């Protein structure tokens, strides 16, 4: 089976939806930040492994605590996925921190600063 097959895309979407619901509604670990979201999920074509990219809106300490909380809840999350999804194999989940949103916000701020400096520089020259 190809990696981008229709079946694999559907499985990724279903696992993403269920994983989001489990993290939001069922895990009661206080280390997990309330502004935690699942950005993407990559399930291997053989359904053995899964990479879940997690984004945490907060400082570095909140991100580290959230990742530690999710790591300790891996077996519970996998059990809930098996209960909620009808898959031949329930994938083993690895949570990875996704910092692309923060990077995008940082780059946007830098672009805005350069644009302001450029705008103020052109006004002075004229």
């Amino acid at each position: 089976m190809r990696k981008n097959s229709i079946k694999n895309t559907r499985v990724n979407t279903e696992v993403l939806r269920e994983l989001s619901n489990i993290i939001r509604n069922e895990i009661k670990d206080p280390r997990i930040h309330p502004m935690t979201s699942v950005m993407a999920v990559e399930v291997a074509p053989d359904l053995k492994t899964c990479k879940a990219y997690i984004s945490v809106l907060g400082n570095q300490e909140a991100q580290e605590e959230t990742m530690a909380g999710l790591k300790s809840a891996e077996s519970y999350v996998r059990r809930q996925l098996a209960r909620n999804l009808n898959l031949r194999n329930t994938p083993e989940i690895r949570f990875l921190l996704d910092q692309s949103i923060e990077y995008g916000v940082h780059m946007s701020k830098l672009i805005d600063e350069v644009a302001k400096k450029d705008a103020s520089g052109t006004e002075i020259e004229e």
Side-chain angles (χ1 to χ4, degrees), residues 55-96:
S55 177
V56 180
L57 188 64
N59 58 12
Q60 185 70 26
E61 181 182 339
Q63 292 174 353
E64 291 172 0
E65 287 181 2
T66 298
M67 294 310 289
L70 288 173
K71 185 163 180 60
S72 70
E74 279 180 355
S75 61
Y76 173 77
V77 171
R78 186 175 184 193
R79 197 167 44 248
Q80 291 302 104
L81 271 179
R83 187 174 292 157
N84 296 339
L85 295 177
N86 185 18
L87 295 175
R88 181 181 303 140
N89 297 318
T90 304
E92 184 177 327
I93 302 167
R94 284 188 18 222
F95 293 105
L96 303 171

Side-chain angles (χ1 to χ4, degrees), residues 100-118:
S100 60
I101 293 177
E102 291 178 22
Y103 180 75
V105 168
H106 177 68
M107 292 305 289
S108 179
K109 286 180 183 177
L110 290 176
I111 291 170
D112 289 343
E113 288 176 12
V114 169
K116 286 179 184 176
K117 287 180 183 177
D118 190 35

Side-chain angles (χ1 to χ4, degrees), residues 31-42:
R31 294 178 289 181
I32 298 176
H33 195 272
M35 294 299 289
T36 300
S37 59
V38 181
M39 300 305 295
V41 171
E42 291 179 6

